[in-house]
Amino acid sequence: MKLPAILVLTLAMAVTACGGRDRDITLSRIKNTGNGPEEFNIVPGKPLQAPDSYSTLPAPTPGGTNITDPTPRGDGVAALGGNPAALANTGIGQADGGLVNYANRFGVVPGIRQTLAREDVEIRRQRGRVNILNIGRNDDYNLAYRRQWLDSNAEATRLRRIGVPTPSYPPDAGRR
């Protein structure tokens, strides 16, 4: 009597494992598994334009930009009604000086972006090999960073214990 029950249970689990194929989690897969071109890397060039005056053209700069060079970020900002010139890196804006000084009050780690990029690659390399046999779907991002996830309930409890107000978190049931 026990063997048929185990067999039925195993068969039911195998059938339910086949379901759920409609979920699209391609954005959480880090690897490009296709053998075609990356469609987001192909940006068409702008049409050629004749200048207003050929005598007032600036001198060409090797490696410089051209008015026909594609600027997808700037074009997207302009299409949404923004100012594409705001994307130009002109340093720290006048309105942001106080914020930057406040953020730098304890010092700055030089090259933090490069350090974080290296650490990210290392974490994904170490933890991305969990599913060695490639059984089932792979979610490399979640596998790599699962240990670093923040438990919001535990963090809210910890902050409340030390007296930090947490107004956006649901009220403590014991305080009612």
Side-chain angles (χ1 to χ4, degrees), residues 8-51:
V8 168
L9 182 62
T10 305
L11 183 61
M13 287 176 54
V15 169
T16 57
C18 296
R21 299 285 182 201
D22 294 338
R23 256 182 28 165
D24 183 20
I25 58 168
T26 54
L27 291 178
S28 61
R29 291 189 183 138
I30 298 169
K31 299 176 198 110
N32 182 9
T33 57
N35 49 357
E38 174 60 47
E39 60 270 12
F40 293 111
N41 285 340
I42 301 170
V43 179
K46 295 181 180 175
L48 294 176
Q49 300 173 356

Side-chain angles (χ1 to χ4, degrees), residues 56-143:
T56 60
L57 287 175
T61 55
T65 60
N66 188 327
I67 59 172
T68 62
D69 288 342
T71 54
R73 291 183 68 207
D75 295 343
V77 168
L80 294 171
N83 181 7
L87 294 175
N89 187 6
T90 57
I92 299 167
Q94 187 176 11
D96 296 330
L99 175 65
V100 171
N101 289 336
Y102 185 77
N104 291 339
R105 70 190 183 281
F106 297 121
V108 178
V109 178
I112 188 66
R113 291 177 189 249
Q114 292 80 9
T115 303
L116 289 175
R118 280 194 307 274
E119 289 174 357
D120 179 59
V121 167
E122 182 62 23
I123 286 173
R124 286 191 281 141
R125 186 188 64 76
Q126 288 175 352
R127 304 223 172 86
R129 297 181 183 163
V130 174
N131 193 359
I132 296 172
L133 300 175
N134 287 329
I135 299 172
R137 292 182 175 209
N138 292 332
D139 190 349
D140 300 333
Y141 186 85
N142 288 330
L143 288 175

